[in-house]
Amino acid sequence: MSEKFDVIVVGAGPAGTSCAYTCAKHGLKVLQIERGEYPGSKNVMGGVLYRKQMEEIIPEFWKEAPLERPVIEQRFWMMDKESVLSFGYKGLEWAEEPYNNFTVLRAQFDQWFAAQAVNAGSLLICETVVTECIVENGKVVGVRTDRPDGDVYADVVVLADGVNSLLGKQLGFHKEFRPDEVALTVMEVINLPKDRINERFNLEDNQGCTIEIFGDSTKGNLGTAFLYTNKESLNIGVGTTLSSMIKAKLKPYDLLDYLKNHPMVKPYLDGGESAEYLAHLIPEGGYHSVPRVIGNGVLVVGDAAQFVNAIHREGSNMAMSSGKMAAEAIVRAKQENDFSEVGLSSYKDALYESFIIKDLKKYKDATHTFENYPQYFKEYLPMMNQAASKFFTVDGTPKRDKQKEIMRGLTKERGRFKVMQDIYRAWKAVK
Ligand SMILES: Cc1cc2nc3c(=O)[nH]c(=O)nc-3n(C[C@H](O)[C@H](O)[C@H](O)COP(=O)(O)OP(=O)(O)OC[C@H]3O[C@@H](n4cnc5c(N)ncnc54)[C@H](O)[C@@H]3O)c2cc1C
């Protein structure tokens, strides 16, 4: 451990591995340190992996990587206690190469991805915790690990240590995240034979489906639940911001039980066997919560930098892209032999030019708007279900009268002005 490296990457999630892989491909001497027994052993993901960003790192990865199913249908449910209003998209173009996205089991995928970085020349050490960054004269020069004589040195240290990023905190890049900046998600993997999955989700062969569920899935609190198809299992999970959980006195595992027993969800799970049960935080503070991402000799990537677009459940792709951009900035810095904040600044330029910062900026007020104005999840979703029920129930009432009655019902509860205000506020938050 006394060698000096060009780059030390802390963490072997998608962000860390994409950085280690790209650096190694450029001939840099890379050490990747992971605290888990193996990459993916500490990770949980409900499991959608996006093709585009992964393909930019390893072309045609789907021919080799351990993937579950290509997703051909994305459904969205607005769920009430005994009903669901749904919409979505199913497209057979997603069933063919190059695909759109895939369900994955992270324990398998992360191991495979990290092995590609090792094949490219990166050195991976597992079961090792980085306890702090070593700082000399205002510059990060290496890391201290929990191994005996475990100090290691490098020109650049990349913090890919996930949502809690204790190392980012140690450097003063961010404070303890507030409860409204992180969501606590619990999920379960439920084994179910392939033919039953295909029958229940109306799929053929290895096609996949994802369902995002809002409303009663979180008992009307800000958050989402999800149900995804793997080859021979389902991922079901639910999460809300920690602040919503505290305010509503929700217990995460009770919420998952509630979801699994919901009459709209239960039939999908029937006869399945629980295989794994996991809980994890997701950074959901968005644009306003992005910490400092560059210092002298150090870069921050992925969840550690709060790069998650909660509205589109995109995190793994932002992690991979930010890891790759960090690697490219390090390669540039190496050419100039300048690993200072200025020398590494092309990382920030790349982030701001990319979908990462643009998308986070677009939704910068969304989480806070929906958290501060609970009527969207608590009142409007049930109202929309009632409206659909009224509209589609054939009872001899002329359709125009029905429409009027529905509109009256919608505005009666909150008043016409407040409804207009709510619509405008929601539009502003996601426009
Ligand atoms: C339940 C759930 C469902 C999700 N669903 C999706 C989805 O469908 N699609 C999507 O795109 N994203 C999803 N996400 C988000 C996605 O998982 C993350 O955005 C992504 O994993 C971030 O990658 P990362 O490499 O930055 O961090 P992580 O994947 O968290 O990896 C960090 C790694 O660093 C290691 N580590 C931490 N500290 C240290 C240390 N001090 N020393 C050594 N190692 C350390 C950890 O063990 C871990 O392996 C989901 C997240 C959760 C929790």
Side-chain angles (χ1 to χ4, degrees):
M1 294 280 260
S2 61
E3 277 179 85
K4 184 174 175 221
F5 291 83
D6 290 319
V7 188
I8 294 172
V9 179
V10 185
T17 299
S18 103
C19 184
Y21 178 88
T22 312
C23 286
K25 278 276 179 194
H26 280 87
L28 300 185
K29 192 170 160 190
V30 186
L31 171 66
Q32 189 175 19
I33 305 177
E34 167 57 45
R35 67 180 171 173
E37 198 185 327
Y38 54 85
S41 62
K42 298 268 182 195
N43 285 332
V44 1
M45 192 174 93
V48 176
L49 177 88
Y50 298 89
R51 185 261 309 162
K52 168 81 178 145
Q53 286 76 27
M54 182 64 203
E55 193 186 16
E56 284 169 0
I57 299 161
I58 302 185
E60 300 197 344
F61 66 95
W62 57 84
K63 294 188 171 155
E64 307 280 333
L67 305 167
E68 290 296 304
R69 295 174 182 239
V71 175
I72 68 145
E73 182 174 10
Q74 300 195 176
R75 298 184 204 164
F76 300 87
W77 283 8
M78 312 289 172
M79 195 162 81
D80 201 2
K81 293 210 170 350
E82 294 192 335
S83 62
V84 70
L85 180 61
S86 67
F87 65 98
Y89 177 77
K90 183 171 185 173
L92 289 180
E93 77 280 12
W94 287 348
E96 286 168 16
E97 290 190 24
Y99 307 104
N100 180 38
N101 54 41
F102 306 87
T103 51
V104 290
L105 292 169
R106 283 284 297 278
Q108 294 169 13
F109 178 80
D110 284 16
Q111 275 192 84
W112 174 85
F113 192 22
Q116 307 314 302
V118 171
N119 290 343
S122 171
L123 175 65
L124 171 68
I125 298 183
C126 292
E127 294 185 277
T128 305
V129 178
V130 171
T131 53
E132 61 178 304
C133 292
I134 302 170
V135 183
E136 286 174 8
N137 303 321
K139 180 185 183 305
V140 174
V141 293
V143 296
R144 181 150 298 146
T145 70
D146 63 351
R147 291 195 174 213
D149 301 321
D151 289 3
V152 211
Y153 292 86
D155 289 327
V156 183
V157 172
V158 178
L159 306 186
D161 52 340
V163 54
N164 278 328
S165 191
L166 296 177
L167 300 173
K169 213 165 105 188
Q170 177 222 336
L171 295 176
F173 282 18
H174 67 86
K175 299 201 176 81
E176 191 74 58
F177 290 119
R178 295 189 317 265
D180 63 342
E181 291 179 304
V182 283
L184 178 59
T185 302
V186 283
M187 65 157 287
E188 197 171 328
V189 178
I190 296 183
N191 288 338
L192 200 64
K194 183 176 178 173
D195 52 349
R196 273 210 233 165
I197 294 178
N198 288 0
E199 210 177 286
R200 285 178 195 178
F201 289 81
N202 190 24
L203 299 166
E204 281 180 17
D205 304 326
N206 202 34
Q207 298 169 346
C209 171
T210 61
I211 310 179
E212 315 295 329
I213 313 170
F214 307 90
D216 199 45
S217 54
T218 52
K219 299 194 176 176
N221 292 287
L222 173 65
T224 17
F226 54 86
L227 181 60
Y228 300 157
T229 58
N230 297 320
K231 275 187 187 139
E232 301 210 62
S233 63
L234 302 174
N235 282 334
I236 182 159
V238 59
T240 76
T241 52
L242 265 182
S243 45
S244 296
M245 225 165 247
I246 295 164
K247 251 187 266 165
K249 297 193 172 73
L250 299 172
K251 291 195 182 123
Y253 292 106
D254 290 350
L255 205 54
L256 184 57
D257 268 351
Y258 180 76
L259 175 70
K260 283 165 54 189
N261 287 300
H262 193 285
M264 297 295 123
V265 174
K266 203 169 176 225
Y268 286 90
L269 313 179
D270 197 30
E273 273 178 27
S274 175
E276 272 181 87
Y277 211 64
L278 308 140
H280 207 280
L281 291 174
I282 304 182
E284 294 205 348
Y287 184 74
H288 296 300
S289 303
V290 173
R292 187 174 156 193
V293 293
I294 312 179
N296 292 320
V298 64
L299 295 172
V300 189
V301 296
D303 276 14
Q306 286 258 349
F307 294 154
V308 168
N309 176 350
I311 302 269
H312 289 260
R313 57 114 159 85
E314 291 181 28
S316 58
N317 58 342
M318 292 196 166
M320 284 174 184
S321 288
S322 60
K324 181 169 178 281
M325 288 170 200
E328 287 161 353
I330 295 168
V331 171
R332 250 172 248 129
K334 175 92 180 159
Q335 284 158 1
E336 304 293 324
N337 197 27
D338 178 1
F339 303 102
S340 67
E341 188 171 348
V342 175
L344 293 167
S345 62
S346 66
Y347 173 50
K348 203 164 174 183
D349 300 339
L351 284 173
Y352 274 80
E353 276 163 28
S354 75
F355 75 102
I356 299 180
I357 295 295
K358 286 182 182 161
D359 284 353
L360 292 184
K361 214 167 181 176
K362 170 171 159 57
Y363 296 113
K364 66 185 189 318
D365 297 319
T367 308
H368 302 298
T369 300
F370 294 122
E371 171 127 34
N372 292 337
Y373 298 92
Q375 59 265 33
Y376 293 106
F377 281 61
K378 274 205 169 27
E379 295 177 42
Y380 286 112
L381 286 189
M383 275 164 144
M384 283 158 68
N385 272 266
Q386 286 151 23
S389 169
K390 251 191 204 123
F391 193 70
F392 294 122
T393 301
V394 177
D395 58 4
T397 311
K399 300 292 182 255
R400 200 175 294 278
D401 294 350
K402 264 184 195 276
Q403 267 168 239
K404 278 188 194 153
E405 201 188 323
I406 287 168
M407 290 312 292
R408 261 201 307 275
L410 284 177
T411 49
K412 198 178 104 202
E413 300 273 320
R414 293 189 54 77
R416 195 178 289 253
F417 179 68
K418 280 202 173 131
V419 170
M420 297 307 288
Q421 228 180 3
D422 289 339
I423 293 172
Y424 177 66
R425 191 185 302 110
W427 173 78
K428 245 178 72 184
V430 298
K431 77 176 185 330

